[in-house]
Amino acid sequence: LQNSTLFVTREYARLPLYFDQGVLVMALNNVAGFRDIHEYVHRKLDTYNSEEKTCETLFRFMFSERENVMAEVSEGYRIKKITYGACKEQILRLAPALSSALQNAQKGDMAGLYMANSVEWIQTFWAILACGYKPLLLNSRASDTVLEDILRRYAVPAVVSDGKTFSVPTVYIQDVLQTASEENSPFQPVWADEVVFMSSGTSENVKLCVYTGERLYYQVCDTARIIKTCPQMMKGYQGELKQLALLPFYHVFGFIAVYIWFGFLARTFVFLKDIRPQTILNTVKRHKVTHIFAVPLVWDTIHKEALRKIRLRGEKTYQKFCKTLRFVNRHEGLGTAVAKSAFKEIRESLFGESIRFLISGGSMIRPETLAFFNGLGYYIANGYGMTEAGITSLELSKKRKIRNTASIGAPFGFTQYDVNDTGELLIKSRTLAAKILQNGECVTLDFETWFPSHDLVKKVGERYYIEGRQDDWIVCENGENLNPTLLEQSLKIESADGVCLFVDKDNSP
């Protein structure tokens, strides 16, 4: 029975159950009538593969399960739920109103999208595509100088905004939504097939990375491989799988790993009122969130704050915690049982018991942070991706001791890694951006392109480990090359939370 699915018939329900570590739990609800999520994804991809790989096709598959709950939002004492069907209808109402608001732009132009994560972001994103414009996902953390330079340099005719005003014509989404609710005019979508991301950087080096529907299709295909290799990814809580919409959708990590992957699976997104730490923790527990994907800074901050609170209970308690954590991480089977009972109180002070899968990505993470969360009884994995390449790998091992090493795993099925003579990671993938725009120039990337990541890696067996950035090398007077990240990791100072290496004006460490 360990790997079997049982169907227990009751008077009003036929509930799919299975054993998880000896406990009988519910399988995921709402998988379009299929036996389980694996069969659901397999059949859905079979159909997708036979169709044209465009953004319009992706839209149809993303909204094919009309009755599934797409989003949950806290409104006072109640939780508001929006289905995929209701969201799709709103997109089709919004598109003609948005088309009128953007009438001075030419079909095929980029249209800036500057909004916080929300149901309205999703609706606006698809409506822009349906109007024939390419969504330019503007980074809300970039400076006004950077944003305005991008709009000027690439002649972006308009921005759709949830409040901020730009130098180009600014369409406020609140006004368009009001118009959409009043009008019911016929509209024939003319779909665009490109989505544009901003890389981080200054005005001089920001890249615009253009993804076609075909490149996004291959990212979706990788989802099925992740599920097959790592069943933990699709474990839910009380039959539901809910992803916290914490990572901004304008970021390639948030857009692909959070929105596209889980939207294709027709799962639920939980939206936050704000990103204050207490709001995040309260939202996770209230909505029974199962998945959280975030950058290392989030996990490092939670880790340090949790250790601080444990230390306040006394040195004896702290040392006992550390000893138990080490035991859990050294023993796979018995350690899991120990973590469940020994760290229940700590888990309750963090995310509670509904969490099933956590991912860290976007930059390097400390192994100690991974060991903390995995040791508590959560399941956290480290992944890798780039704005220029999409999400290309994830550590999928079931063993805590491997996940705790900060490996980024092996490349996904449509991706190949190589390492050049300087230790730089090279990427060849069908998920690479189709085009990269920088300083007014356009570089086209085909499926045979080896893209230089500028990340330094080492390969151990089939796994890869990020060791720093190639751009961070310090060249000393004697010609020796030093990497500050590696040096910081080697510097251990007792009682210090962290170590930072500075370089003086003469570029000498």
Side-chain angles (χ1 to χ4, degrees):
L1 295 177
Q2 184 67 29
N3 297 314
S4 300
T5 298
L6 307 180
F7 291 92
V8 180
T9 303
R10 295 183 177 179
E11 185 177 359
Y12 297 109
R14 190 166 177 262
L15 302 176
L17 308 171
Y18 65 92
F19 281 102
D20 177 13
Q21 299 174 357
V23 179
L24 195 64
V25 297
M26 291 179 62
L28 289 181
N29 297 330
N30 306 321
V31 286
F34 292 106
R35 184 177 65 88
D36 55 33
I37 190 71
H38 301 85
E39 184 177 351
Y40 164 69
V41 173
H42 178 74
R43 298 293 180 85
K44 198 170 183 178
L45 279 174
D46 275 351
T47 307
Y48 194 179
N49 184 52
S50 66
E51 298 196 25
E52 192 176 5
K53 314 302 186 298
T54 64
C55 288
E56 179 184 6
T57 306
L58 179 59
F59 170 74
R60 287 193 286 105
F61 280 99
M62 294 279 282
F63 291 90
S64 57
E65 276 63 70
R66 294 183 55 83
E67 301 305 317
N68 284 16
V69 176
M70 188 202 76
E72 289 186 0
V73 182
S74 290
E75 290 190 346
Y77 292 102
R78 75 184 189 97
I79 293 177
K80 180 181 178 182
K81 299 185 178 185
I82 301 97
T83 65
Y84 278 84
C87 186
K88 182 178 181 180
E89 290 173 4
Q90 179 64 6
I91 291 167
L92 298 178
R93 283 195 297 266
L94 177 62
L98 190 59
S99 182
S100 297
L102 296 172
Q103 59 183 334
N104 292 328
Q106 300 295 316
K107 300 297 182 184
D109 282 348
M110 286 189 282
L113 175 56
Y114 186 95
M115 293 173 61
N117 282 10
S118 60
V119 175
E120 290 75 21
W121 189 102
I122 293 173
Q123 293 167 347
T124 306
F125 168 79
W126 290 110
I128 290 173
L129 280 167
C131 292
Y133 304 111
K134 306 169 187 176
L136 167 59
L137 309 186
L138 295 172
N139 185 338
S140 62
R141 296 179 184 176
S143 68
D144 289 350
T145 301
V146 169
L147 293 174
E148 290 293 347
D149 182 72
I150 290 294
L151 298 178
R152 177 192 57 78
R153 190 186 298 268
Y154 296 98
V156 179
V159 174
V160 184
S161 168
D162 57 4
K164 185 177 178 63
T165 302
F166 294 86
S167 60
V168 301
T170 304
V171 175
Y172 300 104
I173 191 59
Q174 298 88 340
D175 298 337
V176 182
L177 287 169
Q178 180 63 35
T179 303
S181 65
E182 297 171 351
E183 295 183 355
N184 191 22
S185 55
F187 178 73
Q188 182 62 44
V190 181
W191 286 84
D193 193 42
E194 292 182 345
V195 180
V196 188
F197 295 87
M198 285 178 59
S199 70
S200 58
T202 61
S203 299
E204 292 74 26
N205 60 19
V206 168
K207 299 176 183 177
L208 297 189
C209 300
V210 182
Y211 284 79
T212 62
E214 182 181 20
R215 306 295 171 117
L216 296 176
Y217 162 77
Y218 289 114
Q219 289 277 200
V220 170
C221 289
D222 284 331
T223 309
R225 291 185 173 87
I226 297 171
I227 295 170
K228 183 177 180 180
T229 308
C230 182
Q232 180 71 29
M233 173 73 94
M234 283 297 102
K235 286 187 178 179
Y237 181 75
Q238 296 179 349
E240 301 292 337
L241 190 157
K242 299 179 182 180
Q243 171 75 257
L244 187 70
L246 176 61
L247 282 167
F249 289 162
Y250 61 73
H251 193 285
V252 73
F253 185 14
F255 181 80
I256 292 174
V258 175
Y259 179 58
I260 293 297
W261 281 357
F262 286 85
F264 183 80
L265 298 172
R267 300 304 102 188
T268 303
F269 299 100
V270 175
F271 288 96
L272 293 155
K273 285 187 174 180
D274 56 66
I275 57 172
R276 290 180 298 177
Q278 198 56 51
T279 300
I280 293 172
L281 296 180
N282 291 343
T283 301
V284 168
K285 293 175 185 176
R286 186 181 186 197
H287 290 260
K288 297 180 174 58
V289 167
T290 59
H291 289 58
I292 305 175
F293 298 171
V295 295
L297 178 62
V298 172
W299 307 120
D300 286 338
T301 301
I302 295 173
H303 174 209
K304 289 179 180 179
E305 179 62 15
L307 290 184
R308 186 188 69 80
K309 290 182 177 180
I310 295 170
R311 275 189 181 277
L312 290 177
R313 300 184 182 184
E315 189 61 25
K316 185 176 180 180
T317 298
Y318 177 75
Q319 292 301 330
K320 182 179 179 181
F321 165 79
C322 293
K323 182 178 180 180
T324 306
L325 192 70
R326 288 193 296 270
F327 176 88
V328 169
N329 280 314
R330 288 171 182 167
H331 301 83
E332 294 294 333
L334 181 58
T336 299
V338 170
K340 276 187 173 292
S341 58
F343 297 140
K344 183 175 182 180
E345 181 183 349
I346 298 176
R347 288 196 303 274
E348 188 57 37
S349 69
L350 297 177
F351 302 127
E353 299 293 340
S354 64
I355 293 296
R356 292 295 179 266
F357 204 93
L358 308 172
I359 289 182
S360 177
S363 59
M364 292 176 61
I365 187 169
R366 299 184 305 149
E368 308 94 277
T369 300
L370 295 170
F372 172 78
F373 286 99
N374 280 318
L376 287 186
Y378 293 128
Y379 190 111
I380 187 168
N382 189 31
Y384 180 81
M386 299 181 66
T387 309
E388 300 92 338
I391 313 303
T392 54
S393 66
L394 177 68
E395 177 51 71
L396 298 173
S397 176
K398 298 177 182 178
K399 297 181 179 180
R400 279 189 296 271
K401 65 180 181 180
I402 293 179
R403 298 199 307 277
N404 290 346
T405 63
S407 158
I408 60 170
F412 292 150
F414 292 106
T415 300
Q416 291 177 254
Y417 286 166
D418 197 5
V419 183
N420 67 17
D421 293 340
T422 65
E424 179 185 10
L425 178 67
L426 307 177
I427 304 171
K428 181 166 74 172
S429 178
R430 288 179 177 266
T431 67
L432 281 173
K435 292 180 289 187
I436 295 179
L437 311 176
Q438 187 173 23
N439 294 325
E441 297 182 357
C442 176
V443 176
T444 301
L445 306 179
D446 61 30
F447 293 151
E448 297 303 315
T449 300
W450 280 102
F451 184 79
S453 69
H454 299 302
D455 283 314
L456 299 172
V457 301
K458 68 176 179 180
K459 183 182 180 184
V460 181
E462 296 302 314
R463 292 184 164 84
Y464 291 79
Y465 296 81
I466 302 296
E467 294 197 307
R469 290 285 296 172
Q470 190 179 53
D471 345 42
D472 292 339
W473 282 114
I474 300 169
V475 182
C476 302
E477 290 182 356
N478 63 1
E480 183 181 4
N481 293 335
L482 299 178
N483 183 272
T485 304
L486 298 180
L487 284 173
E488 289 171 356
Q489 292 174 357
S490 68
L491 296 173
K492 302 293 183 182
I493 301 176
E494 188 176 353
S495 78
D497 288 335
V499 176
C500 182
L501 181 67
F502 289 89
V503 178
D504 67 18
K505 65 180 180 180
D506 296 322
N507 213 26
S508 301

